[in-house]
Amino acid sequence: LAPIAIAALFLGTTRAVYPQLGEAVRVAAFETISAFTTTGFTIADYAPWNGFGLALLVLLMTIGGGHASTAGGVKQFRVVLLARMIGWELRRSRLPRGAVVQNAVWEAGRRVFVDDRQLRQVASFVLLYLATFALGVLVLAASGFGLQDAVFEFASGLGTVGLSVGATRADMPDAALAALMVAMFLGRLEFTVVIASVLKIAADVRAMARGDGAR
Protein backbone atom coordinates (compact mmCIF):
# COMPACT_ATOMS: atom_id res chain seq x y z
CA LEU A 1 0.00 0.00 0.00
CA ALA A 2 2.83 2.43 0.79
CA PRO A 3 4.28 2.51 -2.78
CA ILE A 4 0.80 3.13 -4.17
CA ALA A 5 0.20 5.94 -1.67
CA ILE A 6 3.59 7.52 -2.47
CA ALA A 7 2.80 7.48 -6.19
CA ALA A 8 -0.69 8.89 -5.58
CA LEU A 9 0.63 11.68 -3.35
CA PHE A 10 3.29 12.57 -5.90
CA LEU A 11 0.90 12.63 -8.84
CA GLY A 12 -1.98 14.26 -6.98
CA THR A 13 -0.19 16.85 -4.84
CA THR A 14 3.58 17.21 -4.51
CA ARG A 15 4.33 17.28 -8.24
CA ALA A 16 2.32 20.50 -8.53
CA VAL A 17 3.58 22.06 -5.28
CA TYR A 18 7.33 21.47 -5.63
CA PRO A 19 8.93 22.46 -8.96
CA GLN A 20 11.98 20.19 -8.59
CA LEU A 21 11.29 16.52 -9.31
CA GLY A 22 13.64 15.23 -6.62
CA GLU A 23 12.04 17.35 -3.93
CA ALA A 24 8.53 16.36 -4.98
CA VAL A 25 9.39 12.65 -4.81
CA ARG A 26 11.23 13.05 -1.52
CA VAL A 27 8.35 14.88 0.16
CA ALA A 28 5.80 12.39 -1.16
CA ALA A 29 7.80 9.42 0.14
CA PHE A 30 8.68 10.98 3.50
CA GLU A 31 5.20 12.24 4.34
CA THR A 32 3.55 8.99 3.28
CA ILE A 33 5.84 6.82 5.42
CA SER A 34 5.58 9.21 8.35
CA ALA A 35 1.76 9.17 8.28
CA PHE A 36 1.48 5.42 7.56
CA THR A 37 3.82 4.42 10.40
CA THR A 38 2.36 7.18 12.65
CA THR A 39 5.92 8.43 13.25
CA GLY A 40 4.86 12.05 13.04
CA PHE A 41 7.92 13.68 11.47
CA THR A 42 7.42 16.09 8.60
CA ILE A 43 9.53 18.02 6.10
CA ALA A 44 6.64 19.85 4.45
CA ASP A 45 4.45 22.89 4.95
CA TYR A 46 0.89 21.72 4.30
CA ALA A 47 -0.43 25.22 3.53
CA PRO A 48 -0.01 24.94 -0.27
CA TRP A 49 -1.23 21.33 -0.40
CA ASN A 50 -4.55 20.51 -2.03
CA GLY A 51 -7.37 18.58 -0.41
CA PHE A 52 -6.33 15.32 -2.05
CA GLY A 53 -2.94 15.25 -0.36
CA LEU A 54 -4.36 16.07 3.06
CA ALA A 55 -7.16 13.50 2.67
CA LEU A 56 -4.63 10.84 1.70
CA LEU A 57 -2.56 11.56 4.83
CA VAL A 58 -5.73 11.35 6.94
CA LEU A 59 -6.47 7.94 5.42
CA LEU A 60 -2.94 6.70 6.09
CA MET A 61 -2.96 8.00 9.68
CA THR A 62 -6.28 6.26 10.27
CA ILE A 63 -5.05 2.92 8.89
CA GLY A 64 -1.86 3.16 10.92
CA GLY A 65 0.94 0.67 11.45
CA GLY A 66 1.25 -3.06 11.57
CA HIS A 67 -0.59 -5.41 13.89
CA ALA A 68 0.86 -5.70 17.43
CA SER A 69 3.21 -2.76 16.77
CA THR A 70 3.51 0.37 18.89
CA ALA A 71 2.15 2.45 16.00
CA GLY A 72 -1.26 4.04 16.22
CA GLY A 73 -4.31 3.87 14.01
CA VAL A 74 -6.76 1.07 13.31
CA LYS A 75 -3.81 -1.17 12.27
CA GLN A 76 -3.30 -2.64 8.83
CA PHE A 77 -4.24 -6.19 9.81
CA ARG A 78 -7.70 -5.09 10.95
CA VAL A 79 -8.27 -3.19 7.71
CA VAL A 80 -7.22 -6.21 5.65
CA LEU A 81 -9.42 -8.46 7.77
CA LEU A 82 -12.46 -6.24 7.25
CA ALA A 83 -11.85 -6.14 3.51
CA ARG A 84 -11.54 -9.92 3.42
CA MET A 85 -14.67 -10.22 5.55
CA ILE A 86 -16.71 -8.52 2.84
CA GLY A 87 -15.50 -11.08 0.32
CA TRP A 88 -16.19 -13.95 2.72
CA GLU A 89 -19.75 -12.76 3.31
CA LEU A 90 -20.38 -12.45 -0.42
CA ARG A 91 -19.02 -15.97 -0.92
CA ARG A 92 -21.09 -17.33 1.96
CA SER A 93 -24.28 -15.85 0.48
CA ARG A 94 -23.83 -18.10 -2.58
CA LEU A 95 -23.28 -21.29 -0.56
CA PRO A 96 -25.88 -23.64 0.96
CA ARG A 97 -27.00 -22.65 4.46
CA GLY A 98 -25.38 -25.68 6.09
CA ALA A 99 -21.99 -25.25 4.35
CA VAL A 100 -18.93 -25.17 6.61
CA VAL A 101 -16.56 -22.36 5.66
CA GLN A 102 -13.05 -21.76 6.97
CA ASN A 103 -11.72 -18.23 6.61
CA ALA A 104 -7.97 -17.74 6.63
CA VAL A 105 -5.56 -14.81 6.27
CA TRP A 106 -1.80 -14.50 6.23
CA GLU A 107 -0.28 -12.90 9.34
CA ALA A 108 3.46 -12.63 9.99
CA GLY A 109 4.19 -15.18 7.27
CA ARG A 110 1.80 -17.85 8.52
CA ARG A 111 -1.75 -18.82 7.61
CA VAL A 112 -4.22 -17.96 10.39
CA PHE A 113 -7.83 -19.13 10.52
CA VAL A 114 -10.33 -16.52 11.66
CA ASP A 115 -13.63 -17.29 13.37
CA ASP A 116 -16.76 -15.17 13.71
CA ARG A 117 -15.84 -14.06 17.23
CA GLN A 118 -12.58 -12.52 16.03
CA LEU A 119 -14.38 -10.82 13.16
CA ARG A 120 -16.90 -9.32 15.58
CA GLN A 121 -14.07 -8.03 17.77
CA VAL A 122 -12.36 -6.38 14.82
CA ALA A 123 -15.61 -4.90 13.49
CA SER A 124 -16.51 -3.56 16.96
CA PHE A 125 -13.09 -1.96 17.36
CA VAL A 126 -13.19 -0.28 13.96
CA LEU A 127 -16.74 0.96 14.54
CA LEU A 128 -15.76 2.38 17.93
CA TYR A 129 -12.67 4.00 16.40
CA LEU A 130 -14.65 5.66 13.62
CA ALA A 131 -17.41 6.77 15.99
CA THR A 132 -14.81 8.40 18.27
CA PHE A 133 -13.21 10.00 15.23
CA ALA A 134 -16.52 11.47 14.08
CA LEU A 135 -17.32 12.77 17.58
CA GLY A 136 -13.88 14.34 17.91
CA VAL A 137 -14.20 16.08 14.56
CA LEU A 138 -17.53 17.51 15.70
CA VAL A 139 -15.93 18.84 18.91
CA LEU A 140 -13.11 20.52 16.99
CA ALA A 141 -15.54 21.94 14.43
CA ALA A 142 -17.73 23.30 17.25
CA SER A 143 -14.61 24.93 18.72
CA GLY A 144 -14.22 27.05 15.61
CA PHE A 145 -11.95 25.01 13.36
CA GLY A 146 -12.76 24.39 9.71
CA LEU A 147 -13.84 20.90 8.72
CA GLN A 148 -10.60 20.15 6.87
CA ASP A 149 -8.45 21.20 9.83
CA ALA A 150 -10.68 19.38 12.31
CA VAL A 151 -10.51 16.12 10.35
CA PHE A 152 -6.74 16.27 9.91
CA GLU A 153 -5.93 17.25 13.49
CA PHE A 154 -8.20 14.68 15.12
CA ALA A 155 -7.02 11.91 12.80
CA SER A 156 -3.49 12.77 13.84
CA GLY A 157 -4.40 12.85 17.53
CA LEU A 158 -6.41 9.64 17.55
CA GLY A 159 -3.70 7.87 15.57
CA THR A 160 -1.02 9.25 17.94
CA VAL A 161 0.82 10.63 14.93
CA GLY A 162 1.74 14.24 15.59
CA LEU A 163 1.36 15.73 12.11
CA SER A 164 -0.47 19.04 12.11
CA VAL A 165 -1.74 21.68 9.72
CA GLY A 166 -1.15 24.26 12.43
CA ALA A 167 -4.46 24.06 14.28
CA THR A 168 -3.03 22.26 17.32
CA ARG A 169 -1.37 24.84 19.54
CA ALA A 170 -1.16 25.87 23.17
CA ASP A 171 -3.82 28.58 22.91
CA MET A 172 -6.47 26.45 21.16
CA PRO A 173 -9.92 26.24 22.84
CA ASP A 174 -10.04 24.10 25.97
CA ALA A 175 -12.68 21.74 24.56
CA ALA A 176 -10.60 21.04 21.46
CA LEU A 177 -7.44 20.55 23.52
CA ALA A 178 -9.22 18.16 25.87
CA ALA A 179 -10.66 16.22 22.93
CA LEU A 180 -7.19 15.77 21.43
CA MET A 181 -5.75 14.71 24.79
CA VAL A 182 -8.44 12.05 25.21
CA ALA A 183 -7.93 10.97 21.60
CA MET A 184 -4.20 10.45 22.07
CA PHE A 185 -4.82 8.54 25.32
CA LEU A 186 -7.36 6.24 23.69
CA GLY A 187 -5.27 5.82 20.56
CA ARG A 188 -2.14 4.89 22.47
CA LEU A 189 -3.74 2.36 24.85
CA GLU A 190 -6.42 1.18 22.39
CA PHE A 191 -10.11 1.34 23.19
CA THR A 192 -10.68 -2.17 24.46
CA VAL A 193 -7.96 -1.87 27.09
CA VAL A 194 -9.28 1.46 28.36
CA ILE A 195 -12.92 0.35 28.39
CA ALA A 196 -12.10 -2.96 30.10
CA SER A 197 -10.04 -1.11 32.72
CA VAL A 198 -12.80 1.42 33.40
CA LEU A 199 -15.40 -1.34 33.75
CA LYS A 200 -13.13 -3.29 36.11
CA ILE A 201 -12.48 -0.22 38.26
CA ALA A 202 -16.20 0.58 38.37
CA ALA A 203 -17.01 -3.00 39.39
CA ASP A 204 -14.35 -2.90 42.13
CA VAL A 205 -15.68 0.41 43.44
CA ARG A 206 -19.24 -0.96 43.59
CA ALA A 207 -18.00 -4.09 45.35
CA MET A 208 -16.10 -2.00 47.90
CA ALA A 209 -19.15 0.20 48.45
CA ARG A 210 -21.37 -2.83 49.09
CA GLY A 211 -18.79 -4.23 51.48
CA ASP A 212 -18.57 -0.94 53.40
CA GLY A 213 -22.34 -0.78 53.62
CA ALA A 214 -22.56 -4.33 54.98
CA ARG A 215 -20.12 -3.48 57.76
Side-chain angles (χ1 to χ4, degrees), residues 10 16 19 40-41 43 45 47 56 66 171-172 193:
F10 169 73
F41 294 117
I43 57 173
D45 177 12
L56 182 58
D171 61 344
M172 68 189 309
V193 175

Side-chain angles (χ1 to χ4, degrees), residues 197-210:
S197 300
V198 171
L199 293 176
K200 180 64 169 61
I201 292 172
D204 291 345
V205 169
R206 287 197 299 269
M208 292 173 60
R210 287 196 297 268

